Amino acid sequence: MHKIGIRRKELEWFRNYLSNRKQFVFLDGKTSSLLEILLGVPQGSILGPILFLIYINDLPLSTLLKSLLFADDTALLACGSNIETLTDFVNKEFQKVVYYFRKNRLSLHPEKTKFMIFSNTLAAKKEPPKIFANYNNLSGPQCVELLYPIENVTANSSVPAIRYLGVYFDPQLNFKYHISTIVNKISKMLYFYRQAKNVLTLRAKRFLYFSSIHSHLIFAIHIWSCTTESSLNPLILKQKMAIRILNDAAYNSHTEPLFKSCGILPLNFLCEFFKVQFMQKFTQGFLPSSFDDIWISNKIRRAGQDQVELRNNDDINIPFARLCSTQRQPLSSFPKIWASFPDERIKFIRNVVEFNQELKLYYLNQLSSKPNCTRLLCPHCHLSQTSEISLNLSVDQNV
């Protein structure tokens, strides 16, 4: 803390706060003797996370690997055109990270550390690289016993994805495993939802929907929704089940009018809503500074060429993507959705709350309040028409 500029009374306050703390173990009614805490911060304290972040803030300076830090979850990234060269580079740089942990009295758990390869080449799939946690010194003799292999997560692994900040990333980046986990969570909640629907009020059922189902749908939706439409179908079906239960509708009833009456967006609109919302924050400068240069305007891209004023100069440049899987990723899909959004009036709203309200209203207006069914002999429509005919016949007979 002294090195980052904290001095005098403030530094003494933190020294007093962290010093002379003791701990003990209580087990089966017996208490151990007190032991002074020499390292670390009080667990569960308010200042614990920020002090830990200050402590490991210089971790990215120890390696050439790109570091993504969030509390004690760290992701290290590297890219290259040759798998063998990339493997050597990662092993050398990862040794520096392990050395950093040792010097700062931190521990790296090899069994909880995993790596994954994102590649379309056959060479990376046929001969996967081997990454080690190397506990040898950077300079000196190398001992094989101090090399601990890191698990390579593939499609054939017991868990074919790596969980980072609540999202499961798989080697194909199709997020099928993550979507399946959401489907399982919602399926469990739907069981309780069905059991309680007859004893809950409409307001209580709405609260239960948003707290136990909707919250799972929107968490990190910007990322996992960049998959194929077929992969999203299981989630779409689960959301339709929930909206039918919310409205006490038949199991085969049309859901579009139900979504509109409840003011809830279907999953396909929900995915697009959050992507447009993200781009509005980007264009208005509301995102963190790390997103400032992720997209550029067409005018900046054409810098150095013949300066011709074009009508799309101020539009965001859509990066070229050769593969369909790449086109679905945020770098290409987000600006494309923003450019194709038809309502220019909404796009220029700066206030975030007003923008969200108008954007949601725009998508709700796209929904029909009446079923627009084109299916031949639709079970729900067919039964509804049959009941109407039988009702008319009974009325005629009474007359």
Side-chain angles (χ1 to χ4, degrees):
M1 298 185 75
H2 183 273
K3 290 181 179 180
I4 66 174
I6 298 176
R7 302 285 193 274
R8 294 186 285 277
K9 291 184 179 180
E10 291 78 10
L11 185 62
E12 291 301 320
W13 187 92
F14 278 105
R15 180 179 284 111
N16 180 272
Y17 171 72
L18 295 173
S19 301
N20 299 322
R21 287 186 173 271
K22 301 181 183 298
Q23 66 180 7
F24 67 93
V25 177
F26 179 80
L27 181 63
D28 293 336
K30 298 182 180 180
T31 304
S32 68
S33 58
L34 291 174
L35 184 68
E36 185 177 359
I37 300 176
L38 302 178
L39 295 172
V41 295
Q43 187 174 3
S45 62
I46 297 176
L47 293 176
I50 186 64
L51 290 175
F52 180 78
L53 290 176
I54 293 174
Y55 190 66
I56 65 166
N57 191 48
D58 57 346
L59 172 60
L61 301 178
S62 66
T63 177
L64 296 177
L65 299 172
K66 182 177 178 59
S67 306
L68 303 176
L69 305 180
F70 186 86
D72 60 343
D73 286 335
T74 303
L76 303 173
L77 306 176
C79 62
S81 57
N82 184 279
I83 189 64
E84 295 180 357
T85 305
L86 183 62
T87 302
D88 294 338
F89 172 76
V90 170
N91 276 317
K92 290 179 182 178
E93 293 299 319
F94 191 47
Q95 184 182 6
K96 297 178 184 177
V97 175
V98 175
Y99 183 75
Y100 169 89
F101 286 141
R102 288 165 50 203
K103 294 292 290 185
N104 289 275
R105 301 183 181 182
L106 296 169
S107 60
L108 177 74
H109 202 307
E111 295 181 2
K112 293 184 178 180
T113 305
K114 306 177 187 302
F115 78 95
M116 180 181 293
I117 304 171
F118 305 101
S119 176
N120 291 322
T121 60
L122 295 176
K125 298 178 181 179
K126 288 183 178 180
E127 298 180 3
K130 295 182 179 180
I131 307 297
F132 299 93
N134 192 342
Y135 284 89
N136 287 288
N137 292 327
L138 294 177
S139 58
Q142 300 293 304
C143 178
V144 180
E145 295 179 355
L146 295 179
L147 297 178
Y148 295 89
I150 304 300
E151 180 185 355
N152 178 20
V153 177
T154 63
N156 299 323
S157 304
S158 57
V159 179
I162 291 179
R163 189 172 186 265
Y164 183 67
L165 302 183
V167 181
Y168 285 95
F169 292 88
D170 55 87
Q172 293 77 29
L173 287 178
N174 54 30
F175 298 102
K176 289 184 178 180
Y177 185 82
H178 180 80
I179 292 174
S180 67
T181 59
I182 302 177
V183 170
N184 292 335
K185 292 178 181 178
I186 295 179
S187 298
K188 296 176 182 178
M189 292 308 306
L190 285 177
Y191 172 78
F192 297 104
Y193 206 19
R194 291 189 187 96
Q195 302 303 316
K197 69 175 183 177
N198 295 325
V199 297
L200 296 177
T201 62
L202 178 60
R203 181 181 179 184
K205 286 191 289 186
R206 281 181 60 89
F207 179 81
L208 188 60
Y209 168 82
F210 281 103
S211 61
S212 59
I213 296 176
H214 192 78
S215 57
H216 290 300
L217 291 176
I218 66 175
F219 179 76
I221 193 174
H222 310 79
I223 301 173
W224 57 260
S225 63
C226 296
T227 183
T228 59
E229 295 181 4
S230 60
S231 299
L232 292 175
N233 283 335
L235 273 181
I236 293 175
L237 295 177
K238 293 299 178 182
Q239 190 193 26
K240 289 182 177 181
M241 292 180 186
I243 205 69
R244 290 184 180 116
I245 297 174
L246 177 61
N247 291 271
D248 289 328
Y251 75 96
N252 57 359
S253 59
H254 296 288
T255 55
E256 187 172 343
L258 303 179
F259 279 113
K260 188 177 181 67
S261 62
C262 294
I264 298 175
L265 297 180
L267 185 62
N268 56 339
F269 283 171
L270 207 59
C271 297
E272 192 171 321
F273 173 88
F274 280 95
K275 293 174 183 179
V276 174
Q277 182 192 65
F278 185 90
M279 293 305 299
Q280 186 265 350
K281 292 181 180 179
F282 172 79
T283 56
Q284 299 295 341
F286 295 148
L287 293 178
S289 58
S290 56
F291 290 95
D292 288 348
D293 299 327
I294 193 169
W295 291 291
I296 59 175
S297 64
N298 288 323
K299 185 176 182 179
I300 296 177
R301 186 183 66 86
R302 297 182 184 125
Q305 303 177 4
D306 295 336
Q307 295 298 323
V308 180
E309 288 294 331
L310 301 177
R311 61 183 179 181
N312 64 345
N313 265 352
D314 295 329
D315 294 344
I316 297 176
N317 176 56
I318 301 175
F320 172 76
R322 182 175 60 87
L323 302 176
C324 293
S325 58
T326 311
Q327 293 174 4
R328 293 191 298 267
Q329 299 306 315
L331 191 64
S332 296
S333 64
F334 280 28
K336 187 179 298 183
I337 292 174
W338 178 256
S340 60
F341 188 76
D343 198 329
E344 295 291 336
R345 180 188 62 85
I346 298 179
K347 292 171 69 172
F348 284 101
I349 297 177
R350 180 169 176 79
N351 184 277
V352 176
V353 176
E354 182 183 355
F355 175 84
N356 292 339
Q357 292 174 349
E358 293 293 331
L359 184 62
K360 183 177 180 180
L361 184 61
Y362 167 81
Y363 283 113
L364 287 176
N365 290 335
Q366 307 302 312
L367 301 175
S368 175
S369 57
K370 294 182 179 180
N372 185 19
C373 182
T374 58
R375 180 182 174 185
L376 183 63
L377 295 179
C378 171
H380 180 264
C381 298
H382 183 67
L383 290 175
S384 300
Q385 292 173 1
T386 305
S387 61
E388 290 179 2
I389 293 173
S390 62
L391 178 63
N392 291 334
L393 287 175
S394 63
V395 171
D396 291 339
Q397 290 171 358
N398 290 334
V399 171

